[in-house]
């Protein structure tokens, strides 16, 4: 049994026990460093350049020692003219070529006449002459390097290319 003299000590023990069960203090909050966010300016992407138009230019072939446009090439050149009308910002180069027969000077002159006849056709169709440049390669750039009629027929030509 408990004596009265033990009561103050018992009271103290109970007090200490309840004091120890009291509210526990939380550890201090962790300090997190916050970096201020700087708003980046919105950069609009640059528009992609317009793709170059898909133009199809046929090769124009000529008879031996001639620079006049044959009937079969007229339809193809009319198609070229229509494409150039549809794309007024496109300029072209007409390259005149020859087969290997004839002198170098003669073939350069004949290649120039072939290129000029293609230009004249396109101008007569309504294309501005300033949009068409000419160059003659004579026999310097054969399409077919062989030395026979079939190869020479491929080499007597005018090629049209977009001027860049």
């Amino acid at each position: 049994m408990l004596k009265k003299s033990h009561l103050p000590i018992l009271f103290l023990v109970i007090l200490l026990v309840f004091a120890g069960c009291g509210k526990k203090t939380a550890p201090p909050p962790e300090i997190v460093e916050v970096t201020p966010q700087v708003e980046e300016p919105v950069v609009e992407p640059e528009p992609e350049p317009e793709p170059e138009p898909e133009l199809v230019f046929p090769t124009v072939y000529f008879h031996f020692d001639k620079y006049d446009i044959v009937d079969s090439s007229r339809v193809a050149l009319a198609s070229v003219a229509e494409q150039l009308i549809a794309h007024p910002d496109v300029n072209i180069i007409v390259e005149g070529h020859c087969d290997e027969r004839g002198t170098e000077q003669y073939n350069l002159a004949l290649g120039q006449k072939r290129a000029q006849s293609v230009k004249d056709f396109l101008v007569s169709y309504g294309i501005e002459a300033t949009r068409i440049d000419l160059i003659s390669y004579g026999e310097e750039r054969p399409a077919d390097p062989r030395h026979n009629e079939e190869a020479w027929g491929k080499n007597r030509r005018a090629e049209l290319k977009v001027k860049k």
Side-chain angles (χ1 to χ4, degrees):
M1 210 53 220
L2 266 181
K3 295 187 182 180
K4 277 187 182 181
S5 62
H6 291 79
L7 277 181
I9 294 176
L10 180 61
F11 181 72
L12 241 164
V13 169
I14 292 174
L15 188 61
L16 286 174
V17 168
F18 280 111
C21 291
K23 223 188 215 182
K24 293 192 177 182
T25 57
E30 200 173 303
I31 298 175
V32 177
E33 203 168 305
V34 177
T35 307
Q37 298 241 346
V38 178
E39 267 191 50
E40 297 279 332
V42 177
V43 178
E44 294 291 327
E46 289 187 32
E48 291 190 26
E50 294 275 332
E52 288 191 26
E54 287 288 325
L55 303 178
V56 179
F57 296 144
T59 301
V60 179
Y61 293 98
F62 295 88
H63 292 296
F64 175 71
D65 203 27
K66 302 285 184 194
Y67 56 90
D68 54 324
I69 296 178
V70 296
D71 289 337
S72 61
S73 294
R74 292 181 181 282
V75 173
L77 284 175
S79 166
V80 171
E82 292 294 335
Q83 292 178 71
L84 291 173
I85 289 169
H87 300 284
D89 55 328
V90 173
N91 296 325
I92 63 169
I93 298 171
V94 181
E95 301 174 345
H97 299 271
C98 299
D99 63 35
E100 64 192 40
R101 299 173 290 179
T103 66
E104 184 177 329
Q105 291 300 328
Y106 180 82
N107 285 337
L108 282 171
L110 182 57
Q112 185 71 23
K113 289 177 183 177
R114 287 176 175 167
Q116 184 66 52
S117 68
V118 170
K119 179 178 181 173
D120 292 344
F121 179 91
L122 294 173
V123 168
S124 73
Y125 208 89
I127 307 303
E128 294 175 30
T130 57
R131 295 176 58 193
I132 306 168
D133 289 340
L134 307 178
I135 189 164
S136 174
Y137 288 111
E139 62 191 70
E140 295 173 19
R141 296 184 177 183
D144 187 334
R146 297 177 299 152
H147 309 285
N148 59 34
E149 276 302 325
E150 183 182 353
W152 295 331
K154 292 177 184 175
N155 294 333
R156 297 187 303 261
R157 70 195 190 282
E159 294 181 353
L160 295 87
K161 299 187 177 169
V162 173
K163 183 177 178 182
K164 301 202 179 198

